Amino acid sequence: MNVLIADLDQKFIGDIQHSWSVAGTTLLTCTRESDLMPIVKQNSIDLAFIEVPFLMQENMDMVSFLKESHPGIEVFVLCDDRNWQGAASAITRGANTFLKKPLTISQLETTTQKVRAQLLNKSNNQLMESQVLDGLLGNTPEMRKILKTVYKVAPTNSTVLITGESGSGKEFLANVIHRYSKRAAEPFVAVNCGAIPENLVESELFGSKKGSFTGATADKKGLFESANGGTLFLDEVGELSPATQVKLLRFLQNHEIRRVGDTQPQYLDVRVLAATNRDLQEAMQEGRFREDLYYRLNTFHLLLPPLRERKPALPNLIKYFILKNKDAQGKEIVDLEPAALYALTRYSYPGNIRELENIIEHATVLAEGGVIRLEDLPEGVQECAREQAVAIPHIKGSGAQEGKSIEVSPVEVPGISFESVKPRELPAASEKDSEELLPLEEMERRYILRALSVCKGNRTEVCKRLGISRATLWRKLKELKIIMDGDEK
């Protein structure tokens, strides 16, 4: 870890150089203001102790420059009774805190050891999280590029605009950015701009003073104030009215807001992340979205591909939502029937990740015995799988050759044993075979009728032989319109 100490007191710096004893650190020192910028530009810096006179360099705020050029840096300002106000001002621009002089070398070393321990812990946690995220978001070139940008941008205060289809995971990605930022311990406030009535948007976002409008019976804190110190995520930002766009632009320029009906501005330390599934450039051309606001929000632009272009993420997302539903539904899923996994990998997901989550919830509720089967999935998913499963062996260039089995990679997760999909060997198809192909529903109907005949109508024995529950058999009899003696007509 590289540690920078910039102080005009040459004796103090000399003493530090002579006795510095923090293992695993490289010390960089500076006693002249003109020497600071070259040191900062030529070295990677993780921790900086900077005296107030060094805070302005070449008409540039040093704290802001360090934060932008060295993502993840921790900055402590050194001050005395004469210039502590300059140190307090630096905190509003991103410095951690200020340390009042006179200081001992031991105080600087203790602070360094704490910061080093925090950075190591954060680095280890982020490494583990990044491995999880790579799996959840999809190991494709596009997603690797997005995640690389996320890891670089997250520790800064830069605004980020996330675009993509509805349900593609924009809020999830915004939450990742927040968790990887220095604001992770502070609030993450998400708001859907399109869900707030137009006449209430300003008061919801910026708050209101008592009596400012009919119904304002008390002072109200807005969502910006609720997110102070943390991150505000503005979903569907393209739905904001022109008046609200102006107020948002003003905040992004000077970090000040005014409650509705108030005359005094209020400074807030809030990072803004925005998202939309609309084309904001088209909205600008039509005059529905301010051009200056677009460029303020679009410091970094992340375009999320739809789930159908991120198929490598499917197995991990399925595991993630199954585990998520374990607590929500109070049901533990220990296995996923091969046919069900095959169906889930073939479906196109027009509703993206949000639709996948709903599908897994649907299947979890219907699943019996801790196993998700094909019939537990929504009908649309089942139909898609049936159509493609029948067609695959007969489509040239599909990768399925005559006499070969079709395989889907196994899904592995501690506590869950998802088998790979390995249909039985497919015999070579003759013309006669092609003519005799029956719809799957008819084949299923004949198979159940045969099972009932072999078991002489004993439903318990049929369930045992077919490996299904009585509820599943009852549902199948009803779906296939099979009526047995004793059933109601």
mmCIF file of all heavy atoms in Angstrom, residues 53-95:
data_model
loop_
_atom_site.group_PDB
_atom_site.id
_atom_site.type_symbol
_atom_site.label_atom_id
_atom_site.label_comp_id
_atom_site.label_asym_id
_atom_site.label_seq_id
_atom_site.Cartn_x
_atom_site.Cartn_y
_atom_site.Cartn_z
ATOM 1 N N PRO A 53 -2.587 23.624 3.153
ATOM 2 C CA PRO A 53 -1.987 24.434 2.074
ATOM 3 C C PRO A 53 -1.785 23.688 0.759
ATOM 4 O O PRO A 53 -1.636 24.309 -0.293
ATOM 5 C CB PRO A 53 -0.637 24.856 2.678
ATOM 6 C CG PRO A 53 -0.851 24.833 4.152
ATOM 7 C CD PRO A 53 -1.775 23.686 4.383
ATOM 8 N N PHE A 54 -1.800 22.359 0.776
ATOM 9 C CA PHE A 54 -1.588 21.569 -0.433
ATOM 10 C C PHE A 54 -2.888 21.278 -1.190
ATOM 11 O O PHE A 54 -2.848 20.655 -2.251
ATOM 12 C CB PHE A 54 -0.935 20.218 -0.080
ATOM 13 C CG PHE A 54 0.495 20.310 0.373
ATOM 14 C CD1 PHE A 54 0.800 20.639 1.680
ATOM 15 C CD2 PHE A 54 1.548 20.065 -0.505
ATOM 16 C CE1 PHE A 54 2.112 20.713 2.117
ATOM 17 C CE2 PHE A 54 2.869 20.134 -0.083
ATOM 18 C CZ PHE A 54 3.149 20.464 1.234
ATOM 19 N N LEU A 55 -4.031 21.721 -0.648
ATOM 20 C CA LEU A 55 -5.317 21.298 -1.205
ATOM 21 C C LEU A 55 -5.653 21.922 -2.556
ATOM 22 O O LEU A 55 -6.523 21.427 -3.279
ATOM 23 C CB LEU A 55 -6.450 21.586 -0.211
ATOM 24 C CG LEU A 55 -6.419 20.750 1.074
ATOM 25 C CD1 LEU A 55 -7.573 21.115 1.982
ATOM 26 C CD2 LEU A 55 -6.460 19.255 0.742
ATOM 27 N N MET A 56 -5.008 23.041 -2.900
ATOM 28 C CA MET A 56 -5.202 23.637 -4.223
ATOM 29 C C MET A 56 -3.898 23.552 -5.001
ATOM 30 O O MET A 56 -2.875 24.069 -4.561
ATOM 31 C CB MET A 56 -5.654 25.091 -4.107
ATOM 32 C CG MET A 56 -7.081 25.267 -3.626
ATOM 33 S SD MET A 56 -8.328 24.499 -4.701
ATOM 34 C CE MET A 56 -8.123 25.458 -6.200
ATOM 35 N N GLN A 57 -3.952 22.863 -6.154
ATOM 36 C CA GLN A 57 -2.767 22.698 -6.997
ATOM 37 C C GLN A 57 -3.130 23.019 -8.440
ATOM 38 O O GLN A 57 -4.044 22.419 -9.014
ATOM 39 C CB GLN A 57 -2.247 21.255 -6.910
ATOM 40 C CG GLN A 57 -1.721 20.866 -5.551
ATOM 41 C CD GLN A 57 -0.385 21.514 -5.250
ATOM 42 O OE1 GLN A 57 0.500 21.592 -6.099
ATOM 43 N NE2 GLN A 57 -0.230 21.983 -4.023
ATOM 44 N N GLU A 58 -2.426 24.001 -9.016
ATOM 45 C CA GLU A 58 -2.656 24.380 -10.418
ATOM 46 C C GLU A 58 -4.133 24.695 -10.655
ATOM 47 O O GLU A 58 -4.750 24.221 -11.620
ATOM 48 C CB GLU A 58 -2.187 23.254 -11.351
ATOM 49 C CG GLU A 58 -0.719 22.895 -11.192
ATOM 50 C CD GLU A 58 -0.308 21.691 -12.017
ATOM 51 O OE1 GLU A 58 -1.144 21.216 -12.829
ATOM 52 O OE2 GLU A 58 0.832 21.221 -11.857
ATOM 53 N N ASN A 59 -4.712 25.482 -9.729
ATOM 54 C CA ASN A 59 -6.130 25.869 -9.773
ATOM 55 C C ASN A 59 -7.059 24.651 -9.783
ATOM 56 O O ASN A 59 -8.150 24.673 -10.353
ATOM 57 C CB ASN A 59 -6.406 26.737 -11.015
ATOM 58 C CG ASN A 59 -5.686 28.064 -10.954
ATOM 59 O OD1 ASN A 59 -5.591 28.675 -9.890
ATOM 60 N ND2 ASN A 59 -5.150 28.498 -12.093
ATOM 61 N N MET A 60 -6.621 23.596 -9.127
ATOM 62 C CA MET A 60 -7.398 22.368 -9.090
ATOM 63 C C MET A 60 -7.545 21.904 -7.648
ATOM 64 O O MET A 60 -6.601 21.981 -6.858
ATOM 65 C CB MET A 60 -6.687 21.288 -9.915
ATOM 66 C CG MET A 60 -7.437 19.978 -10.027
ATOM 67 S SD MET A 60 -6.437 18.754 -10.920
ATOM 68 C CE MET A 60 -6.206 19.594 -12.489
ATOM 69 N N ASP A 61 -8.772 21.465 -7.315
ATOM 70 C CA ASP A 61 -9.005 20.920 -5.976
ATOM 71 C C ASP A 61 -8.326 19.557 -5.874
ATOM 72 O O ASP A 61 -8.663 18.624 -6.600
ATOM 73 C CB ASP A 61 -10.510 20.790 -5.714
ATOM 74 C CG ASP A 61 -10.796 20.035 -4.430
ATOM 75 O OD1 ASP A 61 -10.199 20.382 -3.411
ATOM 76 O OD2 ASP A 61 -11.605 19.093 -4.466
ATOM 77 N N MET A 62 -7.391 19.425 -4.950
ATOM 78 C CA MET A 62 -6.565 18.226 -4.857
ATOM 79 C C MET A 62 -7.371 17.008 -4.413
ATOM 80 O O MET A 62 -7.127 15.886 -4.879
ATOM 81 C CB MET A 62 -5.407 18.473 -3.881
ATOM 82 C CG MET A 62 -4.232 17.561 -4.098
ATOM 83 S SD MET A 62 -3.550 17.810 -5.745
ATOM 84 C CE MET A 62 -2.781 16.236 -6.004
ATOM 85 N N VAL A 63 -8.328 17.205 -3.521
ATOM 86 C CA VAL A 63 -9.129 16.072 -3.046
ATOM 87 C C VAL A 63 -9.914 15.470 -4.214
ATOM 88 O O VAL A 63 -9.909 14.247 -4.428
ATOM 89 C CB VAL A 63 -10.081 16.486 -1.908
ATOM 90 C CG1 VAL A 63 -11.014 15.329 -1.550
ATOM 91 C CG2 VAL A 63 -9.284 16.918 -0.677
ATOM 92 N N SER A 64 -10.582 16.316 -4.977
ATOM 93 C CA SER A 64 -11.363 15.833 -6.125
ATOM 94 C C SER A 64 -10.463 15.157 -7.153
ATOM 95 O O SER A 64 -10.811 14.105 -7.711
ATOM 96 C CB SER A 64 -12.117 16.994 -6.780
ATOM 97 O OG SER A 64 -13.007 17.592 -5.865
ATOM 98 N N PHE A 65 -9.280 15.751 -7.387
ATOM 99 C CA PHE A 65 -8.347 15.178 -8.355
ATOM 100 C C PHE A 65 -7.884 13.794 -7.909
ATOM 101 O O PHE A 65 -7.829 12.842 -8.706
ATOM 102 C CB PHE A 65 -7.142 16.099 -8.542
ATOM 103 C CG PHE A 65 -6.122 15.566 -9.510
ATOM 104 C CD1 PHE A 65 -6.323 15.671 -10.882
ATOM 105 C CD2 PHE A 65 -4.962 14.947 -9.059
ATOM 106 C CE1 PHE A 65 -5.394 15.157 -11.775
ATOM 107 C CE2 PHE A 65 -4.016 14.443 -9.946
ATOM 108 C CZ PHE A 65 -4.236 14.552 -11.313
ATOM 109 N N LEU A 66 -7.551 13.658 -6.625
ATOM 110 C CA LEU A 66 -7.108 12.370 -6.105
ATOM 111 C C LEU A 66 -8.213 11.320 -6.209
ATOM 112 O O LEU A 66 -7.966 10.160 -6.541
ATOM 113 C CB LEU A 66 -6.666 12.513 -4.651
ATOM 114 C CG LEU A 66 -5.300 13.185 -4.416
ATOM 115 C CD1 LEU A 66 -5.114 13.504 -2.935
ATOM 116 C CD2 LEU A 66 -4.170 12.284 -4.906
ATOM 117 N N LYS A 67 -9.438 11.726 -5.907
ATOM 118 C CA LYS A 67 -10.558 10.793 -5.959
ATOM 119 C C LYS A 67 -10.810 10.287 -7.382
ATOM 120 O O LYS A 67 -11.162 9.120 -7.587
ATOM 121 C CB LYS A 67 -11.831 11.463 -5.427
ATOM 122 C CG LYS A 67 -11.813 11.721 -3.928
ATOM 123 C CD LYS A 67 -12.031 10.437 -3.183
ATOM 124 C CE LYS A 67 -12.104 10.663 -1.689
ATOM 125 N NZ LYS A 67 -12.364 9.407 -0.957
ATOM 126 N N GLU A 68 -10.639 11.177 -8.355
ATOM 127 C CA GLU A 68 -10.874 10.794 -9.741
ATOM 128 C C GLU A 68 -9.721 9.971 -10.306
ATOM 129 O O GLU A 68 -9.934 8.996 -11.031
ATOM 130 C CB GLU A 68 -11.084 12.044 -10.618
ATOM 131 C CG GLU A 68 -12.369 12.794 -10.340
ATOM 132 C CD GLU A 68 -13.602 12.003 -10.743
ATOM 133 O OE1 GLU A 68 -13.503 11.166 -11.661
ATOM 134 O OE2 GLU A 68 -14.653 12.206 -10.127
ATOM 135 N N SER A 69 -8.485 10.349 -9.978
ATOM 136 C CA SER A 69 -7.317 9.697 -10.572
ATOM 137 C C SER A 69 -6.878 8.445 -9.829
ATOM 138 O O SER A 69 -6.161 7.607 -10.387
ATOM 139 C CB SER A 69 -6.141 10.685 -10.647
ATOM 140 O OG SER A 69 -5.827 11.198 -9.367
ATOM 141 N N HIS A 70 -7.283 8.295 -8.564
ATOM 142 C CA HIS A 70 -6.914 7.117 -7.774
ATOM 143 C C HIS A 70 -8.164 6.536 -7.114
ATOM 144 O O HIS A 70 -8.377 6.717 -5.904
ATOM 145 C CB HIS A 70 -5.878 7.486 -6.702
ATOM 146 C CG HIS A 70 -4.612 8.077 -7.242
ATOM 147 N ND1 HIS A 70 -3.571 7.312 -7.714
ATOM 148 C CD2 HIS A 70 -4.226 9.364 -7.402
ATOM 149 C CE1 HIS A 70 -2.587 8.096 -8.140
ATOM 150 N NE2 HIS A 70 -2.968 9.347 -7.959
ATOM 151 N N PRO A 71 -9.011 5.843 -7.882
ATOM 152 C CA PRO A 71 -10.242 5.270 -7.311
ATOM 153 C C PRO A 71 -9.940 4.391 -6.099
ATOM 154 O O PRO A 71 -9.031 3.575 -6.123
ATOM 155 C CB PRO A 71 -10.800 4.432 -8.470
ATOM 156 C CG PRO A 71 -10.241 5.066 -9.693
ATOM 157 C CD PRO A 71 -8.880 5.552 -9.317
ATOM 158 N N GLY A 72 -10.706 4.616 -5.031
ATOM 159 C CA GLY A 72 -10.509 3.834 -3.819
ATOM 160 C C GLY A 72 -9.582 4.478 -2.806
ATOM 161 O O GLY A 72 -9.416 3.958 -1.699
ATOM 162 N N ILE A 73 -8.976 5.624 -3.145
ATOM 163 C CA ILE A 73 -8.033 6.276 -2.234
ATOM 164 C C ILE A 73 -8.750 6.811 -0.992
ATOM 165 O O ILE A 73 -9.904 7.228 -1.058
ATOM 166 C CB ILE A 73 -7.281 7.426 -2.949
ATOM 167 C CG1 ILE A 73 -6.136 7.937 -2.079
ATOM 168 C CG2 ILE A 73 -8.237 8.548 -3.316
ATOM 169 C CD1 ILE A 73 -5.243 8.950 -2.776
ATOM 170 N N GLU A 74 -8.062 6.763 0.131
ATOM 171 C CA GLU A 74 -8.550 7.357 1.380
ATOM 172 C C GLU A 74 -7.749 8.623 1.628
ATOM 173 O O GLU A 74 -6.502 8.598 1.582
ATOM 174 C CB GLU A 74 -8.373 6.389 2.554
ATOM 175 C CG GLU A 74 -8.979 5.010 2.332
ATOM 176 C CD GLU A 74 -10.487 5.028 2.406
ATOM 177 O OE1 GLU A 74 -11.048 6.007 2.943
ATOM 178 O OE2 GLU A 74 -11.103 4.068 1.923
ATOM 179 N N VAL A 75 -8.441 9.748 1.881
ATOM 180 C CA VAL A 75 -7.773 11.046 2.053
ATOM 181 C C VAL A 75 -8.069 11.615 3.433
ATOM 182 O O VAL A 75 -9.240 11.780 3.806
ATOM 183 C CB VAL A 75 -8.208 12.052 0.966
ATOM 184 C CG1 VAL A 75 -7.491 13.391 1.174
ATOM 185 C CG2 VAL A 75 -7.918 11.500 -0.425
ATOM 186 N N PHE A 76 -7.014 11.915 4.195
ATOM 187 C CA PHE A 76 -7.131 12.570 5.495
ATOM 188 C C PHE A 76 -6.434 13.926 5.403
ATOM 189 O O PHE A 76 -5.306 14.015 4.903
ATOM 190 C CB PHE A 76 -6.482 11.720 6.597
ATOM 191 C CG PHE A 76 -7.204 10.443 6.890
ATOM 192 C CD1 PHE A 76 -7.035 9.329 6.081
ATOM 193 C CD2 PHE A 76 -8.083 10.359 7.965
ATOM 194 C CE1 PHE A 76 -7.713 8.148 6.342
ATOM 195 C CE2 PHE A 76 -8.767 9.182 8.233
ATOM 196 C CZ PHE A 76 -8.584 8.074 7.424
ATOM 197 N N VAL A 77 -7.102 14.976 5.867
ATOM 198 C CA VAL A 77 -6.553 16.328 5.789
ATOM 199 C C VAL A 77 -5.923 16.706 7.135
ATOM 200 O O VAL A 77 -6.534 16.503 8.191
ATOM 201 C CB VAL A 77 -7.652 17.350 5.414
ATOM 202 C CG1 VAL A 77 -7.071 18.760 5.342
ATOM 203 C CG2 VAL A 77 -8.288 16.958 4.080
ATOM 204 N N LEU A 78 -4.710 17.239 7.086
ATOM 205 C CA LEU A 78 -4.006 17.695 8.288
ATOM 206 C C LEU A 78 -4.219 19.192 8.435
ATOM 207 O O LEU A 78 -4.067 19.949 7.466
ATOM 208 C CB LEU A 78 -2.507 17.386 8.180
ATOM 209 C CG LEU A 78 -2.143 15.927 7.825
ATOM 210 C CD1 LEU A 78 -0.621 15.767 7.766
ATOM 211 C CD2 LEU A 78 -2.747 14.963 8.830
ATOM 212 N N CYS A 79 -4.584 19.639 9.625
ATOM 213 C CA CYS A 79 -4.870 21.060 9.828
ATOM 214 C C CYS A 79 -4.510 21.483 11.249
ATOM 215 O O CYS A 79 -4.185 20.643 12.098
ATOM 216 C CB CYS A 79 -6.345 21.356 9.559
ATOM 217 S SG CYS A 79 -7.459 20.557 10.741
ATOM 218 N N ASP A 80 -4.569 22.793 11.492
ATOM 219 C CA ASP A 80 -4.406 23.310 12.856
ATOM 220 C C ASP A 80 -5.560 24.270 13.131
ATOM 221 O O ASP A 80 -6.488 24.379 12.327
ATOM 222 C CB ASP A 80 -3.042 23.993 13.035
ATOM 223 C CG ASP A 80 -2.783 25.064 11.985
ATOM 224 O OD1 ASP A 80 -3.768 25.689 11.514
ATOM 225 O OD2 ASP A 80 -1.617 25.283 11.623
ATOM 226 N N ASP A 81 -5.497 24.991 14.248
ATOM 227 C CA ASP A 81 -6.601 25.873 14.627
ATOM 228 C C ASP A 81 -6.822 27.007 13.629
ATOM 229 O O ASP A 81 -7.916 27.570 13.557
ATOM 230 C CB ASP A 81 -6.346 26.457 16.025
ATOM 231 C CG ASP A 81 -6.470 25.394 17.107
ATOM 232 O OD1 ASP A 81 -7.219 24.426 16.873
ATOM 233 O OD2 ASP A 81 -5.823 25.519 18.160
ATOM 234 N N ARG A 82 -5.792 27.347 12.837
ATOM 235 C CA ARG A 82 -5.911 28.473 11.915
ATOM 236 C C ARG A 82 -6.615 28.094 10.609
ATOM 237 O O ARG A 82 -7.262 28.934 9.982
ATOM 238 C CB ARG A 82 -4.517 29.029 11.580
ATOM 239 C CG ARG A 82 -3.784 29.655 12.780
ATOM 240 C CD ARG A 82 -2.349 29.939 12.432
ATOM 241 N NE ARG A 82 -1.639 28.686 12.087
ATOM 242 C CZ ARG A 82 -0.405 28.645 11.609
ATOM 243 N NH1 ARG A 82 0.263 29.779 11.384
ATOM 244 N NH2 ARG A 82 0.167 27.488 11.350
ATOM 245 N N ASN A 83 -6.488 26.867 10.180
ATOM 246 C CA ASN A 83 -7.037 26.511 8.865
ATOM 247 C C ASN A 83 -7.977 25.295 8.889
ATOM 248 O O ASN A 83 -8.160 24.625 7.872
ATOM 249 C CB ASN A 83 -5.905 26.265 7.860
ATOM 250 C CG ASN A 83 -4.931 25.200 8.344
ATOM 251 O OD1 ASN A 83 -5.270 24.386 9.202
ATOM 252 N ND2 ASN A 83 -3.717 25.207 7.784
ATOM 253 N N TRP A 84 -8.587 25.028 10.041
ATOM 254 C CA TRP A 84 -9.479 23.862 10.133
ATOM 255 C C TRP A 84 -10.705 23.994 9.239
ATOM 256 O O TRP A 84 -11.289 22.992 8.796
ATOM 257 C CB TRP A 84 -9.901 23.622 11.588
ATOM 258 C CG TRP A 84 -10.803 24.694 12.143
ATOM 259 C CD1 TRP A 84 -10.422 25.802 12.828
ATOM 260 C CD2 TRP A 84 -12.228 24.748 12.047
ATOM 261 N NE1 TRP A 84 -11.504 26.566 13.168
ATOM 262 C CE2 TRP A 84 -12.649 25.921 12.696
ATOM 263 C CE3 TRP A 84 -13.195 23.926 11.484
ATOM 264 C CZ2 TRP A 84 -13.982 26.305 12.798
ATOM 265 C CZ3 TRP A 84 -14.522 24.304 11.580
ATOM 266 C CH2 TRP A 84 -14.913 25.473 12.234
ATOM 267 N N GLN A 85 -11.115 25.243 8.931
ATOM 268 C CA GLN A 85 -12.282 25.424 8.057
ATOM 269 C C GLN A 85 -12.010 24.895 6.643
ATOM 270 O O GLN A 85 -12.896 24.340 5.998
ATOM 271 C CB GLN A 85 -12.685 26.895 8.004
ATOM 272 C CG GLN A 85 -13.290 27.393 9.320
ATOM 273 C CD GLN A 85 -13.706 28.850 9.244
ATOM 274 O OE1 GLN A 85 -13.038 29.650 8.585
ATOM 275 N NE2 GLN A 85 -14.795 29.195 9.900
ATOM 276 N N GLY A 86 -10.763 25.056 6.181
ATOM 277 C CA GLY A 86 -10.379 24.501 4.878
ATOM 278 C C GLY A 86 -10.458 22.990 4.879
ATOM 279 O O GLY A 86 -10.844 22.361 3.894
ATOM 280 N N ALA A 87 -10.108 22.396 6.035
ATOM 281 C CA ALA A 87 -10.192 20.946 6.162
ATOM 282 C C ALA A 87 -11.646 20.485 6.168
ATOM 283 O O ALA A 87 -12.001 19.475 5.544
ATOM 284 C CB ALA A 87 -9.488 20.500 7.439
ATOM 285 N N ALA A 88 -12.499 21.221 6.871
ATOM 286 C CA ALA A 88 -13.926 20.870 6.914
ATOM 287 C C ALA A 88 -14.540 20.953 5.524
ATOM 288 O O ALA A 88 -15.371 20.116 5.139
ATOM 289 C CB ALA A 88 -14.652 21.803 7.878
ATOM 290 N N SER A 89 -14.113 21.955 4.748
ATOM 291 C CA SER A 89 -14.610 22.094 3.379
ATOM 292 C C SER A 89 -14.170 20.911 2.520
ATOM 293 O O SER A 89 -14.921 20.440 1.659
ATOM 294 C CB SER A 89 -14.108 23.405 2.771
ATOM 295 O OG SER A 89 -14.484 23.515 1.414
ATOM 296 N N ALA A 90 -12.960 20.400 2.759
ATOM 297 C CA ALA A 90 -12.442 19.276 1.971
ATOM 298 C C ALA A 90 -13.268 18.009 2.186
ATOM 299 O O ALA A 90 -13.379 17.166 1.292
ATOM 300 C CB ALA A 90 -10.980 19.018 2.333
ATOM 301 N N ILE A 91 -13.854 17.885 3.366
ATOM 302 C CA ILE A 91 -14.673 16.698 3.651
ATOM 303 C C ILE A 91 -15.895 16.661 2.737
ATOM 304 O O ILE A 91 -16.315 15.600 2.279
ATOM 305 C CB ILE A 91 -15.092 16.682 5.138
ATOM 306 C CG1 ILE A 91 -13.855 16.480 6.014
ATOM 307 C CG2 ILE A 91 -16.113 15.582 5.406
ATOM 308 C CD1 ILE A 91 -14.129 16.585 7.495
ATOM 309 N N THR A 92 -16.480 17.827 2.455
ATOM 310 C CA THR A 92 -17.645 17.874 1.568
ATOM 311 C C THR A 92 -17.286 17.472 0.138
ATOM 312 O O THR A 92 -18.156 17.137 -0.650
ATOM 313 C CB THR A 92 -18.274 19.287 1.541
ATOM 314 O OG1 THR A 92 -17.344 20.209 0.960
ATOM 315 C CG2 THR A 92 -18.630 19.730 2.945
ATOM 316 N N ARG A 93 -15.983 17.513 -0.170
ATOM 317 C CA ARG A 93 -15.539 17.142 -1.523
ATOM 318 C C ARG A 93 -14.997 15.715 -1.571
ATOM 319 O O ARG A 93 -14.449 15.302 -2.594
ATOM 320 C CB ARG A 93 -14.491 18.137 -2.018
ATOM 321 C CG ARG A 93 -14.997 19.581 -2.077
ATOM 322 C CD ARG A 93 -14.023 20.490 -2.807
ATOM 323 N NE ARG A 93 -12.713 20.548 -2.184
ATOM 324 C CZ ARG A 93 -12.397 21.342 -1.157
ATOM 325 N NH1 ARG A 93 -13.314 22.140 -0.625
ATOM 326 N NH2 ARG A 93 -11.177 21.338 -0.649
ATOM 327 N N GLY A 94 -15.103 14.989 -0.466
ATOM 328 C CA GLY A 94 -14.744 13.577 -0.510
ATOM 329 C C GLY A 94 -13.670 13.119 0.439
ATOM 330 O O GLY A 94 -13.378 11.916 0.500
ATOM 331 N N ALA A 95 -13.041 14.033 1.194
ATOM 332 C CA ALA A 95 -12.035 13.605 2.169
ATOM 333 C C ALA A 95 -12.708 12.833 3.307
ATOM 334 O O ALA A 95 -13.865 13.086 3.640
ATOM 335 C CB ALA A 95 -11.282 14.814 2.723
#
